[in-house]
Amino acid sequence: MNAEEIRHLIETAAATGSEAFDDPEARERYVDFYDDSVVLEGYPPGVEGKEGARAFYTGMFEGIEGGHIDLQEVLVDGDTAAVRFRLTGKHGGELMGVPPSGNDVDVTGQSFIRVRDGKIVERIQEIDTFALLQQIGAIPTPA
């Protein structure tokens, strides 16, 4: 795949991910962007391969109502994309074991995504988990 095709795949995956917060059918379409043996780094322990991605993202999609993924920057070099994103929504369902708070969610993150044959084969991700946990009420915010 060339740079434009990879950029298009990332943009389409993000748009499908945004749909998946409110549409269970879009959830499976989102997971289909991942290769069966995708390598995932920066995820909670035990999140491995496509099935791990499915379980992880199902929890995110169910825990955040009206979620939206905004791609802030996508840079492609060879088979790898560097992506900065922002995730917004409302904590309307259980998320990471935390019952719904109704609080707004607004966190940023970045990923390195490697693509082969039209599938994501590796994703190294960092998201501001500390801010997310504060926003959903799992840990206190500083006074």
Side-chain angles (χ1 to χ4, degrees):
M1 297 181 76
N2 66 36
E4 272 310 304
E5 292 169 325
I6 291 174
R7 178 182 304 281
H8 179 72
L9 182 138
I10 300 297
E11 290 170 348
T12 304
T16 303
S18 289
E19 291 174 27
F21 285 100
D22 297 317
D23 178 1
E25 291 179 11
R27 295 174 187 169
E28 192 57 35
R29 290 195 313 271
Y30 178 76
V31 174
D32 282 342
F33 287 99
Y34 290 84
D35 187 76
D36 290 341
S37 59
V38 63
V39 175
L40 302 169
E41 294 181 36
Y43 288 78
V47 177
E48 299 175 4
K50 186 174 184 174
E51 291 308 312
R54 176 178 282 110
F56 175 80
Y57 286 112
T58 295
M60 293 294 287
F61 295 142
E62 291 177 352
I64 299 174
E65 291 179 353
H68 179 74
I69 301 165
D70 177 37
L71 295 180
Q72 297 178 316
E73 190 169 13
V74 179
L75 303 171
V76 180
D77 184 27
D79 64 354
T80 303
V83 180
R84 288 188 321 108
F85 62 91
R86 179 177 177 197
L87 170 62
T88 57
K90 187 170 291 296
H91 181 213
E94 184 176 309
L95 181 61
M96 298 185 290
V98 179
S101 65
N103 295 344
D104 289 334
V105 171
D106 188 345
V107 294
T108 58
Q110 51 276 330
S111 295
F112 287 97
I113 299 173
R114 192 163 55 88
V115 176
R116 183 176 54 236
D117 299 327
K119 296 283 186 178
I120 297 170
V121 295
E122 182 179 27
R123 183 169 183 175
I124 303 168
Q125 175 170 279
E126 293 293 330
I127 191 165
D128 191 348
T129 305
F130 188 76
L132 177 60
L133 292 172
Q134 284 182 319
Q135 291 170 17
I136 66 174
I139 56 177
T141 55

